[in-house]
């Protein structure tokens, strides 16, 4: 076994000296053959064969070893990289030629824990059939890889697994004495001075708490500021509606067309002085409302609004043409539209009443659910008490079993301590052998490192001498350049640098002239565009005045409809919800009498009653606001409103 270990160490030593970027494999093998002449011919052939195979299949072996260091060999040293490459080559290419027994002897001659890790990683069927096969197939043909390399490895996998188990047993037997040899630290008590006994402090007097003041009655009442805020809100809303109506009526009165009989006030000179001169910049339309807040529009908004009014005018002209041609009147349609709007309002009122009643119904159902939940909780508490009694009995039984197992464990430990001396003698012998092996390996490593350092120093000296020789060589200086001379390369349009600069100056002059012409065109286009925008502004002012008058008329009609008295709702859904609410209230009172629990509103504290009353008051107020909005046409569009919009 020592013979195989020396052969493998020789191969590892020679493989560490090989550098792919600097050495040629053939020349390196010739140099190795000359250095191995002192060995026997059998040893020389084995070493050269393994070394040449590792160099030939270096790419395949590097893939496996790199993956091993990334996944399972993170704690292994990089010095053992060549050792893993040699073992991987023997297992892949020479296992059938050497035989399994000889392969086992070679593995046992190496460090046991390292070989155990590498063989478990390399002969894993999952690794062989997945990524190792894919990576090797990128270098060689997939059929060749599977037939010549992977299939033999899979056949040897069971026997290799037995070898791995044997190696694990050997490593465990070697490491177990180390654990028994360690001495247990026995703590000792400190020799400290005993502290003096503390005096018992006098008991503190229990403070007497002052009687708290009762909670004021105003805590459970809504604040006056909230009522004042509501009155201020109503006053502000009424004032805003009046201002909006006045603004829609008086908007752009200066742009309204004047009647024929109205006299012209002032002379032409006075009228001319009232308006500022026209500016060529893009005009911005500004409307002044009664509260002196200007509304500015840019060019895009002016054109968009002008196009909108132009389409409306065209549609109105088409409608007039159709009436002239004999089209029908829309009076019947308008009456039908009003009926449909009234019907939509009634449906929305009924829907809002249904939502309010559904809220009350859900409140009654929640009270019933709370009462049923209380009864379920009582039953659940009784079940939990029974389960806790059973768990306590089970816990006591488990405690008895654990005490028995502890006693048995103490007896086993006492018996195991009797064989300590025999294990200590074995441990000392094994340590002496390992110390001698480590000393021999360290001497060989120091010798190889000294040789490598001498080789590196010699190579550096040669490079320094070459660099100094290059620095001493003379260098050429630059020559003069004539800018008026043509290079003479024989190309079409060849010219000197001076001529090139003159042509560039002419091109810049032409480009500047074109830019000035384009700038003049842009200025002229802006002037025409500003004139068009000014005309559009005048048309928009006229159209807005007309739309303000029509909006004021529609507002008056909506206000008259809102002032009409409200008819009581006769919807079947509302009546059905009211009946269900009365049934739920009766059922709640019966269930409360059975469970000896009063109703939540009566049983709860006074603040809860006030909050619920305030909640229902807010619901009533929101319902009234929605009714007013529906009467004024502020809610979502119904069928009649959709027809009107169309």
């Amino acid at each position: 076994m020592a013979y195989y270990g020396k052969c493998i160490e020789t191969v590892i030593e020679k493989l560490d000296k090989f550098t792919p970027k600097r050495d040629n494999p053939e020349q390196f093998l010739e140099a190795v053959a000359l250095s191995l002449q002192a060995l026997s011919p059998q040893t020389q052939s084995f070493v050269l064969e393994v070394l040449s195979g590792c160099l030939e299949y270096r790419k395949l072996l590097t893939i496996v070893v790199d993956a091993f260091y990334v996944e399972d060999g993170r704690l292994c040293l990089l010095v053992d990289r060549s050792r893993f490459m040699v073992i991987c080559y023997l297992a892949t290419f020479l296992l059938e030629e050497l035989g399994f027994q000889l392969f086992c002897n070679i593995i046992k001659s190496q460090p046991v824990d390292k070989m155990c890790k590498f063989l478990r990683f390399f002969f894993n069927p999952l690794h062989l059939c997945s990524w190792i096969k894919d990576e090797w197939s990128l270098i060689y043909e997939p059929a060749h890889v599977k037939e010549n390399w992977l299939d033999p490895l899979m056949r040897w996998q069971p026997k290799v697994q037995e070898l791995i188990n044997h190696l694990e047993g050997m490593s465990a037997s070697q490491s177990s004495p180390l654990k028994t040899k360690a001495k247990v630290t026995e703590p000792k008590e400190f020799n400290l001075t005993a502290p003096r006994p503390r005096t018992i402090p006098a008991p503190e007097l229990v403070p007497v708490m002052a009687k708290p003041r009762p909670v004021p009655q105003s805590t459970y009442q809504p604040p006056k500021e909230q009522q004042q805020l509501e009155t201020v809100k109503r006053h502000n809303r009424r004032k805003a509606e009046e201002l909006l109506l006045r603004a829609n009526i008086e908007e752009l009165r200066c742009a309204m067309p004047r009647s024929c009989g109205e006299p012209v006030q002032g002379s032409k000179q006075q009228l001319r002085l009232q308006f500022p001169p026209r500016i060529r910049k893009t005009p911005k339309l500004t409307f002044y409302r009664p509260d002196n807040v200007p509304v500015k529009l840019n060019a895009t908004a002016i054109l968009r609004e002008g196009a909108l009014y132009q389409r409306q005018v065209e549609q109105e002209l088409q409608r007039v043409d159709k009436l002239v041609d004999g089209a029908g009147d829309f009076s019947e349609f308008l009456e039908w539209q009003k009926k449909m709007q009234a019907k939509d309002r009634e449906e929305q009122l009924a829907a809002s009443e249904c939502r309010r009643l559904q809220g009350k119904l859900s409140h009654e159902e929640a009270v019933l659910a709370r009462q049923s939940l209380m009864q379920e909780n009582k039953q659940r508490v009784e079940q939990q008490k029974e389960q806790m009694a059973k768990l306590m009995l089970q816990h006591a039984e488990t405690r008895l079993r654990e005490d028995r197992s502890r006693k048995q464990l103490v007896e086993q430990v006492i018996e195991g301590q009797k064989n300590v001396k025999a294990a200590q003698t074995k441990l000392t012998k094994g340590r002496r052998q390992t110390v001698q092996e480590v000393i021999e390996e360290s001497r060989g490593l120091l010798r190889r490192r000294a040789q490598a350092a001498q080789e590196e120093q010699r190579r550096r000296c040669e490079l320094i001498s070459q660099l100094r020789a290059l620095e001493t060589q003379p260098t050429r200086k630059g020559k003069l350049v004539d800018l008026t001379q043509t290079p003479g390369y024989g190309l079409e349009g060849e010219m000197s640098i001076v001529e090139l600069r003159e042509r560039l100056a002419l091109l810049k002059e032409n480009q500047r002239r074109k830019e000035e012409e384009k700038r003049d065109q842009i200025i002229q286009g802006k002037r025409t565009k500003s004139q068009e925008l000014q005309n559009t502004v005048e048309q928009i002012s006229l159209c807005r005045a007309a739309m303000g008058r029509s909006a004021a008329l529609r507002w008056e009609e909506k206000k008259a409809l809102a002032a009409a008295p409200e008819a009581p709702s006769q919807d079947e859904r509302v009546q059905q919800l009211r009946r269900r609410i009365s049934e739920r209230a009766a059922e709640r009172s019966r269930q409360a009498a059975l469970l000896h629990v009063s109703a939540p509103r009566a049983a709860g504290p006074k603040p809860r009653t006030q909050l619920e009353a305030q909640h229902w008051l807010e619901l009533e107020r929101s319902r009234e606001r929605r009714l007013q909005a529906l009467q004024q046409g502020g809610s979502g569009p119904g069928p009649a409103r959709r027809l009107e919009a169309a």
Side-chain angles (χ1 to χ4, degrees):
M1 193 175 295
Y3 170 75
Y4 300 124
K6 291 181 181 179
C7 294
I8 297 299
E9 289 295 333
T10 305
V11 176
I12 293 170
E13 181 182 356
K14 300 300 180 183
L15 190 60
D16 287 336
K17 295 180 181 179
F18 178 76
T19 54
K21 296 182 180 179
R22 186 185 64 185
D23 298 335
N24 188 8
E26 296 178 356
Q27 296 177 359
F28 181 76
L29 289 174
E30 291 176 359
V32 170
L34 293 175
S35 63
L36 296 177
Q37 290 180 358
L39 301 177
S40 62
Q42 185 178 0
T43 306
Q44 290 182 13
S45 62
F46 178 76
V47 171
L48 290 174
E49 182 180 0
V50 175
L51 185 60
S52 62
C54 291
L55 296 178
E56 182 180 358
Y57 298 103
R58 185 179 181 83
K59 292 183 179 180
L60 301 182
L61 304 178
T62 304
I63 291 170
V64 178
V65 175
D66 289 344
F68 170 71
Y69 272 103
V70 170
E71 187 172 348
D72 291 346
R74 288 189 292 269
L75 301 178
C76 296
L77 299 176
L78 293 176
V79 181
D80 298 326
R81 182 183 180 85
S82 300
R83 187 186 307 277
F84 294 137
M85 292 181 68
V86 171
I87 298 301
C88 183
Y89 173 76
L90 293 176
T92 307
F93 299 96
L94 298 179
L95 183 56
E96 294 185 357
E97 182 178 351
L98 295 173
F100 187 74
Q101 187 62 36
L102 185 57
F103 180 74
C104 291
N105 294 335
I106 293 172
I107 295 298
K108 290 178 182 178
S109 66
Q110 303 300 315
V112 178
D113 53 349
K114 297 177 183 178
M115 294 296 103
C116 186
K117 283 185 181 179
F118 182 75
L119 291 177
R120 189 188 305 110
F121 171 79
F122 181 57
F123 280 92
N124 191 351
L126 182 62
H127 295 170
L128 290 173
C129 298
S130 59
W131 61 268
I132 292 178
K133 179 181 178 182
D134 297 337
E135 294 293 334
W136 287 4
S137 299
L138 295 175
I139 302 173
Y140 294 94
E141 291 293 332
H144 179 74
V145 170
K146 185 178 184 303
E147 182 179 355
N148 296 330
W149 298 334
L150 293 180
D151 289 345
L153 288 174
M154 291 300 294
R155 286 197 303 270
W156 288 105
Q157 199 271 338
K159 292 186 177 180
V160 174
Q161 189 63 36
E162 295 178 359
L163 176 61
I164 293 170
N165 296 333
H166 179 66
L167 293 176
E168 288 178 351
M170 291 174 62
S171 63
S173 63
Q174 290 178 2
S175 61
S176 59
L178 293 175
K179 296 181 181 178
T180 58
K181 180 65 177 178
K183 294 182 179 179
V184 180
T185 304
E186 297 179 356
K188 296 182 180 180
E189 295 182 357
F190 292 102
N191 188 10
L192 300 177
T193 305
R196 295 179 181 178
R198 294 183 180 180
T199 59
I200 300 173
E204 297 180 358
L205 296 176
V206 179
V208 179
M209 300 297 294
K211 187 177 181 180
R213 295 181 180 179
V215 180
Q217 196 67 22
S218 60
T219 306
Y220 308 114
Q221 294 177 358
K224 295 180 180 180
E225 288 79 2
Q226 189 173 0
Q227 298 178 0
Q228 293 176 0
L229 287 174
E230 290 180 357
T231 55
V232 171
K233 283 182 182 178
R234 287 197 295 271
H235 177 69
N236 290 340
R237 183 173 181 81
R238 192 180 303 109
K239 188 176 180 180
E241 291 174 356
E242 293 175 359
L243 290 175
L244 178 62
L245 180 60
R246 192 185 306 163
N248 290 331
I249 294 172
E250 298 177 359
E251 184 180 16
L252 295 177
R253 188 163 51 186
C254 62
M256 294 173 61
R258 188 170 60 250
S259 60
C260 298
E262 185 178 355
V264 180
Q265 298 178 358
S267 61
K268 294 183 179 179
Q269 185 67 22
Q270 294 175 353
L271 293 174
R272 190 180 299 111
L273 291 174
Q274 290 176 0
F275 298 97
R278 291 186 179 180
I279 303 172
R280 293 183 178 180
K281 294 182 180 180
T282 304
K284 292 186 178 180
L285 183 59
T286 305
F287 296 104
Y288 293 93
R289 296 190 179 275
D291 50 359
N292 296 327
V293 179
V295 179
K296 296 183 179 180
L297 298 176
N298 54 9
T300 306
I302 292 170
L303 293 175
R304 189 186 296 113
E305 193 169 358
L308 176 63
Y309 291 146
Q310 187 66 27
R311 286 197 300 271
Q312 291 178 358
V313 170
E314 291 177 358
Q315 291 175 2
E316 187 66 22
L317 290 175
Q318 291 177 2
R319 188 178 68 82
V320 172
D321 292 340
K322 289 180 181 178
L323 289 174
V324 171
D325 293 340
D329 193 5
F330 289 95
S331 59
E332 296 179 358
F333 172 73
L334 293 175
E335 292 178 0
W336 175 82
Q337 191 178 28
K338 289 180 180 179
K339 291 179 182 178
M340 296 301 294
Q341 288 177 355
K343 188 176 179 181
D344 290 342
R345 283 195 292 272
E346 292 177 359
E347 290 179 357
Q348 290 174 359
L349 289 173
S352 64
E353 183 67 19
C354 287
R355 285 194 294 271
R356 185 181 69 83
L357 294 175
Q358 285 175 359
K360 287 186 177 182
L361 180 61
S362 63
H363 175 69
E364 295 292 339
E365 290 177 351
V367 173
L368 289 172
R370 192 182 299 114
Q371 292 176 356
S372 61
L373 182 62
M374 290 171 62
Q375 190 173 1
E376 290 178 1
N377 287 337
K378 290 180 181 178
Q379 296 176 359
R380 198 172 297 153
V381 167
E382 294 177 358
Q383 293 177 1
Q384 288 289 336
K385 289 180 180 179
E386 294 176 359
Q387 291 179 1
M388 283 299 295
K390 293 179 181 178
L391 290 174
M392 291 297 291
L393 291 174
Q394 293 177 1
H395 181 66
E397 294 176 357
T398 53
R399 287 287 298 275
L400 291 173
R401 287 196 296 269
E402 289 177 358
D403 293 339
R404 293 171 185 170
S405 62
R406 287 196 192 96
K407 290 179 181 178
Q408 294 176 1
L409 183 62
V410 168
E411 293 175 357
Q412 292 176 2
V413 170
I414 292 170
E415 292 177 358
Q417 290 178 354
K418 296 178 181 178
N419 300 324
V420 173
K421 291 184 178 180
Q424 287 179 353
T425 55
K426 291 181 181 179
L427 178 61
T428 53
K429 292 180 180 179
R431 284 185 176 180
R432 289 174 184 173
Q433 293 178 359
T434 53
V435 166
Q436 291 177 359
E437 293 177 358
V438 168
I439 290 170
E440 293 177 359
E441 290 181 359
S442 62
R443 289 176 181 173
L445 288 173
L446 290 173
R447 194 182 304 110
R448 289 196 294 272
R449 286 179 183 176
Q451 294 176 1
Q454 292 176 0
E455 184 69 21
E456 184 69 19
Q457 186 67 22
R458 185 183 59 77
R459 187 176 61 82
R460 287 181 180 178
C461 293
E462 292 178 358
L463 289 175
I464 290 169
S465 61
Q466 292 176 4
L467 290 173
R468 288 179 178 175
L470 290 174
E471 288 177 356
T472 56
Q473 292 180 358
T475 56
R476 293 183 180 182
K477 297 183 179 180
K479 62 179 181 179
L480 298 175
V481 179
D482 188 5
L483 299 179
T484 59
Q485 186 179 1
T486 308
Y489 294 124
L491 302 174
E492 293 183 0
E494 191 174 7
M495 65 186 73
S496 63
I497 295 176
V498 176
E499 186 179 357
L500 179 62
R501 289 175 180 174
E502 291 178 356
R503 293 195 179 187
L504 287 174
L506 291 174
L507 288 174
K508 288 181 180 178
E509 184 66 24
N510 293 333
Q511 187 175 4
R512 186 181 60 79
R513 193 183 302 109
K514 290 180 181 179
E515 288 178 355
E516 289 179 355
E517 293 176 357
K518 191 172 182 180
R519 191 179 295 109
D520 295 338
Q521 293 177 1
I522 291 170
I523 292 170
Q524 188 66 26
K526 285 184 177 179
R527 289 175 181 173
T528 55
K529 188 175 180 181
S530 64
Q531 185 64 32
E532 292 176 357
L533 288 175
Q534 192 67 28
N535 297 334
T536 307
V537 166
E538 295 175 358
Q539 293 179 2
I540 288 171
S541 62
L542 294 173
C543 293
R544 282 195 173 183
M547 291 177 66
R549 290 192 295 273
S550 62
L553 293 175
R554 287 196 301 271
W555 177 259
E556 291 294 336
E557 291 178 0
K558 289 179 181 179
K559 198 169 183 182
L561 287 174
E566 182 183 356
S569 177
Q570 298 295 333
D571 198 322
E572 295 181 358
R573 295 178 296 171
V574 175
Q575 295 177 0
Q576 186 178 0
L577 285 171
R578 286 175 179 170
R579 288 195 299 269
R580 290 178 62 186
I581 289 170
S582 61
E583 292 174 0
R584 290 290 186 276
E587 185 178 355
R588 177 171 58 83
S589 61
R590 288 195 302 270
Q591 192 171 1
L594 291 174
L595 294 174
H596 301 287
V597 178
S598 60
R601 293 189 182 179
K606 192 171 182 181
R608 183 176 180 83
T609 308
Q610 292 287 345
L611 290 174
E612 290 182 355
Q614 188 177 0
H615 172 67
W616 288 109
L617 183 61
E618 288 293 332
L619 287 177
E620 291 291 339
R621 288 176 181 171
S622 64
R623 173 175 168 274
E624 291 176 0
R625 287 197 295 270
R626 286 198 296 270
L627 290 175
Q628 291 177 3
L630 289 172
Q631 290 173 0
Q632 295 174 6
S635 62
R641 187 169 296 279
R642 287 195 295 271
L643 288 173
E644 184 180 0

